[in-house]
Amino acid sequence: MARKYQLDQKPRGGSSGIDYEAELNAQQYTAVSSPPGPALVIAGAGSGKTRTLTYRVAYLLDQGVEPSSLLLLTFTNKAAKEMLERVRELIPQDLSELWSGTFHAIGNRILRRHAECVGLTRSFSILDRDDQKSLIKTVIAECDIDTKQRRFPKPDVLISIFSLVENTGVTLEELLEWRYPYFEEWLEEISQVGKAYTAKKLETNSADFDDLLILPLKLFRENGDLLELYQKRFDYLLVDEYQDTNMVQCELIDLLAQPRMSLMVVGDDAQSIYSWRGADMDNILSFPDRYPDAKTFKIETNYRSVPEVLHLSNAAIAVNTKQFRKTLNAAREGGSMTPALVPLEDPRAQANFVAQRILELRDEGIEMQEIAILYRAHHQSLEIQMELTSRNIPFQITSGLRFFEQQHIKDVAAFLRFVTNRKDEVSFKRFCLLLPGIGGVTANKLWRAWVKTGKAGDETPPKSFSDIMLKFSIPAKAKKDWEQLCYVLDELAPGGEFARPAEMITSVQEGIYDDFMRQSFENYDNRRQDVEQLSLYSEGFEDIQELLGQLSLMSSVDGEPTGTQVAQDEEQVVLSSIHQAKGLEWKVVFLIWLADGMFPNGRVLEADDLDMFEEERRLFYVALTRSKDELYLTYPMVNPKSYTGDIVQRPSRFLEDCPDEMLETWEVGPAW
């Protein structure tokens, strides 16, 4: 039997002198100073999660742990950099041997050392999104898949499909049935492309971002000696935002943590809101089962929000059945305002209220960048964007482009612009390029064919676009779609008279563009809702020229900013989806469109799935806990619909879980 010999720790030159007990609250200190072993830290919103993790690293170093034996895993480079900078401020020493970074960065570091074991060389290339799309296009061509008769998913969509299969463990067939039912007819061909894409990456000595997790996991599964090497190297593992880990990340952590099991994971199950991109909340909920000896620490003192906001937040999340129960307690004193519940007549009144209140808050001394407007889906910001622009209130959008600058909105507008201005070459070519088999050269030929008809200069649209344009020479692959496009143009101006703007948008969407969106965009449902919202918005216009003029004023033309956009360093109100707002905070938060079908989302209500509904409630909780001082919950009581008339909206059922005494209802009167 081998004799065991223990090396003494090298002298460290003394302690840092940090008084951990004095600098941390009691709950933070208990977690930071816990002995080696598995530990789960449930850190509530605004409770100092980063501070706890940072001090844990400093504490271990202070105990004589070598930096080289620490592995700190985060979800963003910014978080990793911030934590290391804070550690250096606490304990100024060389941390170059400490492994810290995102899961993908650490995966890349491991893969570079052992690439040959998975069929790559150490000089392998990492594919970005454009590289992936290019490679998949090559693969589709090599697979000789006939995409002429039916719309085959575009590379962007295929990338998302392959990524979800890899990161969630579901089969391709299950994923298509669950998330992309309109592509089920292509199951065999998509599977063929997926296998060929994997082979092509190896052939070209390349890896995509998913491979930076999947291949290290494969490496460890198949090479026990290498796994043991890294298990011995890392005495202590620390993981940030553990509730956001997917199946692959969770297994990587579990493998590396053995046999010492000195693993600390930090997260908040109440803020698990990313299942749609593969995150699995069960990873954090099942941690005590997978690590029976694990200690669980709860950090419940919130340093961000006033008690009034926290009482409401606690009540909102308490209804969920799957959670580690905790109660956030405010470190701050009570504010001067109870969270406001503000029912409003319709979406325009909601926008008017938000804009007017923002101006009042500015006059009260609140800086613009300390005000945020949050929403469940990007399209819900449309009226707000319009109203802020009309009042010259500067704003920035973190959830995407301004509404009218988005590709799908500009695509739909191109049909309308061409029908009203037959000289609009840019719009004509834009919708031509949407069709399969039509590129820049063909679009130019089609434009010249249109000009030769002599109709480009007419003041009124022709009686029938199809009678003229179906005679053009069209590539075989595009003929069927070209016919449909021509008939859609006929619907926009039947008999030479313009249809109503809302009807025109619906014709474009249902007649041709919806199929294009399904094929082209990973977030098809969100974009479809955007187009539907544009149609609802256009209900306020009878004249198509007036609508198009408004769209032009609200969007960028050829990439040039409009007069409503401002320099990045100027004060701006923030518009953001709740998903994008996670981890951020503002003095004042407006949470808009709190009506059933809007928030909670209509698809969630239709699914009648407890897990989906509880995640939606967690999203509501995340929104509430972004507010430091003032919180306004608004919803329009009536929502105009294109064909079914006005719809009376039910307040969000999440509000039913909020005791009346925790909210102050505001009655907003009409403008006189």
Side-chain angles (χ1 to χ4, degrees):
M1 174 181 278
R3 177 184 296 183
K4 294 185 179 180
Y5 183 85
Q6 184 73 38
L7 290 174
D8 294 331
Q9 291 181 349
K10 292 186 292 185
R12 294 293 306 276
S15 168
S16 66
I18 298 172
D19 187 342
Y20 289 92
E21 196 165 5
E23 295 192 22
L24 301 166
N25 67 38
Q27 291 177 329
Q28 291 172 338
Y29 176 72
T30 302
V32 164
S33 60
S34 62
L40 170 63
V41 180
I42 303 297
S47 66
K49 170 182 65 67
T50 301
R51 183 178 181 84
T52 301
L53 204 50
T54 300
Y55 271 80
R56 174 62 173 178
V57 175
Y59 182 84
L60 292 173
L61 295 174
D62 245 353
Q63 300 304 304
V65 174
E66 291 293 332
S68 59
S69 64
L70 291 176
L71 173 61
L72 173 60
L73 289 164
T74 65
F75 271 84
T76 67
N77 289 316
K78 179 182 177 183
K81 182 180 178 182
E82 179 184 351
M83 287 187 195
L84 280 185
E85 288 176 349
R86 292 193 187 184
V87 172
R88 286 193 182 95
E89 291 173 2
L90 293 171
I91 303 181
Q93 65 170 275
D94 181 12
L95 298 180
S96 59
E97 292 298 311
L98 190 157
W99 280 39
S100 172
T102 65
F103 282 89
H104 292 87
I106 298 300
N108 177 51
R109 192 168 178 178
I110 293 170
L111 204 53
R112 292 287 176 192
R113 296 182 169 201
H114 315 287
E116 294 83 357
C117 295
V118 291
L120 299 171
T121 73
R122 298 189 183 190
S123 61
F124 69 85
S125 300
I126 299 177
L127 303 172
D128 63 18
R129 190 80 173 192
D130 287 339
D131 297 330
Q132 286 181 274
K133 288 161 63 175
S134 178
L135 202 61
I136 286 179
K137 285 178 182 177
T138 300
V139 167
I140 292 172
E142 291 178 352
C143 289
D144 197 27
I145 295 173
D146 181 11
T147 61
K148 293 180 181 178
Q149 300 304 316
R150 297 171 294 162
R151 286 188 178 273
F152 190 68
K154 291 287 182 66
D156 262 330
V157 180
L158 290 172
I159 290 169
S160 295
I161 288 174
F162 299 149
S163 179
L164 281 170
V165 167
E166 294 283 11
N167 287 299
T168 62
V170 301
T171 66
L172 177 60
E173 185 174 7
E174 290 169 337
L175 179 67
L176 294 185
E177 180 182 358
W178 156 55
R179 189 155 175 175
Y180 302 93
Y182 38 86
F183 288 140
E184 286 186 282
E185 60 177 325
W186 287 109
L187 172 62
E188 185 177 336
E189 290 85 351
I190 293 173
S191 177
Q192 181 186 1
V193 171
K195 293 173 183 176
Y197 173 57
T198 299
K200 180 67 77 172
K201 285 185 290 184
L202 288 176
E203 179 187 324
T204 58
N205 194 35
S206 304
D208 59 30
F209 282 98
D210 287 324
D211 290 328
L212 299 182
L213 299 179
I214 294 161
L215 293 181
L217 181 57
K218 174 182 171 68
L219 184 76
F220 290 150
R221 283 173 174 171
E222 298 176 356
N223 299 273
D225 55 336
L226 282 178
L227 174 59
E228 187 177 355
L229 177 71
Y230 284 93
Q231 288 173 336
K232 287 181 177 178
R233 177 187 178 108
F234 299 124
D235 292 331
Y236 294 87
L237 275 71
L238 301 102
V239 184
D240 190 21
E241 301 286 9
Y242 189 68
Q243 78 281 348
D244 293 335
T245 55
N246 61 31
M247 177 195 73
V248 177
Q249 292 161 330
C250 183
E251 187 173 348
L252 273 171
I253 295 165
D254 288 348
L255 286 175
L256 288 171
Q258 298 177 34
R260 289 185 175 87
M261 299 298 186
S262 191
L263 164 68
M264 176 176 283
V265 299
V266 182
D268 183 6
D269 56 292
Q271 297 186 71
S272 178
I273 57 174
Y274 295 119
S275 67
W276 51 275
R277 67 185 190 195
D280 186 354
M281 190 180 76
D282 190 57
N283 293 341
I284 192 169
L285 292 180
S286 66
F287 189 88
D289 297 325
R290 300 200 319 278
Y291 295 88
D293 296 330
K295 295 182 178 179
T296 299
F297 304 95
K298 294 182 181 179
I299 303 178
E300 299 170 296
T301 301
N302 175 287
Y303 294 92
R304 174 187 300 154
S305 306
V306 293
E308 292 84 351
V309 169
L310 291 185
H311 295 332
L312 183 66
S313 303
N314 287 330
I317 198 63
V319 186
N320 271 12
T321 58
K322 296 183 178 181
Q323 63 170 303
F324 291 105
R325 296 202 174 274
K326 61 182 178 299
T327 301
L328 292 182
N329 302 301
R332 298 178 56 193
E333 295 183 359
S336 59
M337 175 188 169
T338 300
L341 176 62
V342 192
L344 293 140
E345 183 178 354
D346 56 27
R348 292 175 187 267
Q350 178 177 245
N352 284 334
F353 168 77
V354 171
Q356 180 173 314
R357 187 70 189 120
I358 286 172
L359 292 175
E360 293 169 351
L361 290 166
R362 182 195 63 185
D363 292 342
E364 293 170 13
I366 304 293
E367 296 177 335
M368 289 287 195
Q369 66 266 30
E370 286 287 354
I371 302 173
I373 303 167
L374 305 183
Y375 34 80
R376 173 64 176 83
H378 187 53
H379 69 81
Q380 294 169 355
S381 68
L382 172 57
E383 289 86 5
I384 297 289
Q385 291 186 44
M386 297 292 296
E387 189 61 30
L388 295 181
T389 300
S390 70
R391 295 184 185 231
N392 292 318
I393 299 175
F395 63 92
Q396 60 170 307
I397 301 175
T398 65
S399 54
L401 295 170
R402 293 185 179 225
F403 187 85
F404 298 114
E405 294 171 358
Q406 299 174 105
Q407 176 187 337
H408 49 296
I409 299 300
K410 296 178 84 169
D411 285 346
V412 171
F415 288 87
L416 279 56
R417 290 173 59 180
F418 170 70
V419 169
T420 57
N421 173 18
R422 271 73 62 197
K423 289 184 178 180
D424 191 337
E425 180 179 355
V426 172
S427 293
F428 179 90
K429 290 181 178 177
R430 186 181 187 104
F431 61 63
C432 285
L433 291 170
L434 299 177
L435 306 187
I438 293 183
V441 173
T442 303
N444 283 330
K445 290 180 179 177
L446 291 171
W447 174 251
R448 289 197 295 270
W450 169 251
V451 172
K452 286 180 181 178
T453 66
K455 298 295 183 181
D458 287 356
E459 286 297 316
T460 58
K463 299 290 184 184
S464 170
F465 283 95
S466 58
D467 285 349
I468 301 167
M469 297 170 66
L470 287 178
K471 298 174 184 176
F472 295 174
S473 177
I474 304 295
K477 188 176 182 179
K479 274 194 173 180
K480 183 178 178 182
D481 291 292
W482 180 257
E483 289 179 6
Q484 185 62 27
L485 184 150
C486 293
Y487 295 141
V488 166
L489 293 177
D490 286 343
E491 289 184 21
L492 304 188
E497 298 290 335
F498 296 130
R500 294 184 65 249
E503 294 171 1
M504 296 172 81
I505 293 168
T506 300
S507 292
V508 172
Q509 181 184 16
E510 296 181 354
I512 193 167
Y513 197 66
D514 197 67
D515 283 343
F516 174 81
M517 287 195 294
R518 286 180 189 269
Q519 174 202 28
S520 304
F521 301 124
E522 181 272 333
N523 57 345
Y524 158 72
D525 284 331
N526 291 337
R527 295 185 188 245
R528 176 182 54 79
Q529 290 177 31
D530 282 350
V531 176
E532 290 174 354
Q533 190 66 26
L534 176 64
S535 180
L536 294 179
Y537 171 72
S538 67
E539 278 291 307
F541 298 84
E542 292 293 330
D543 185 345
I544 184 60
Q545 298 287 11
E546 184 183 351
L547 172 64
L548 290 174
Q550 191 67 44
L551 299 189
S552 297
L553 291 173
M554 285 295 297
S555 67
S556 294
V557 180
D558 297 330
E560 291 298 323
T562 65
T564 61
Q565 291 179 315
V566 295
Q568 285 298 308
D569 58 351
E570 187 174 337
E571 284 190 26
Q572 301 173 77
V573 173
V574 175
L575 273 65
S576 176
S577 70
I578 303 167
H579 284 102
Q580 290 287 337
K582 183 175 174 291
L584 303 177
E585 59 185 39
W586 296 271
K587 287 184 178 179
V588 181
V589 168
F590 292 87
L591 179 55
I592 63 173
W593 280 103
L594 267 173
D596 265 5
M598 293 295 180
F599 194 15
N601 182 275
R603 292 191 304 278
V604 173
L605 296 179
E606 292 169 7
D608 194 27
D609 180 284
L610 179 63
D611 288 343
M612 291 176 64
F613 191 74
E614 292 207 342
E615 177 163 340
E616 196 79 353
R617 185 181 280 114
R618 292 195 295 272
L619 194 62
F620 179 55
Y621 172 81
V622 168
L624 298 180
T625 54
R626 299 311 95 197
S627 170
K628 294 195 282 188
D629 299 334
E630 298 188 22
L631 179 61
Y632 298 86
L633 310 179
T634 74
Y635 68 93
M637 293 181 285
V638 173
N639 189 18
K641 294 288 183 181
S642 295
Y643 300 113
T644 56
D646 291 350
I647 299 297
V648 177
Q649 295 200 136
R650 179 173 179 253
S652 171
R653 60 194 64 191
F654 294 147
L655 295 171
E656 297 173 0
D657 305 322
C658 303
D660 292 342
E661 64 271 16
M662 293 185 182
L663 289 166
E664 180 183 27
T665 301
W666 288 29
E667 294 183 4
V668 179
W672 296 98

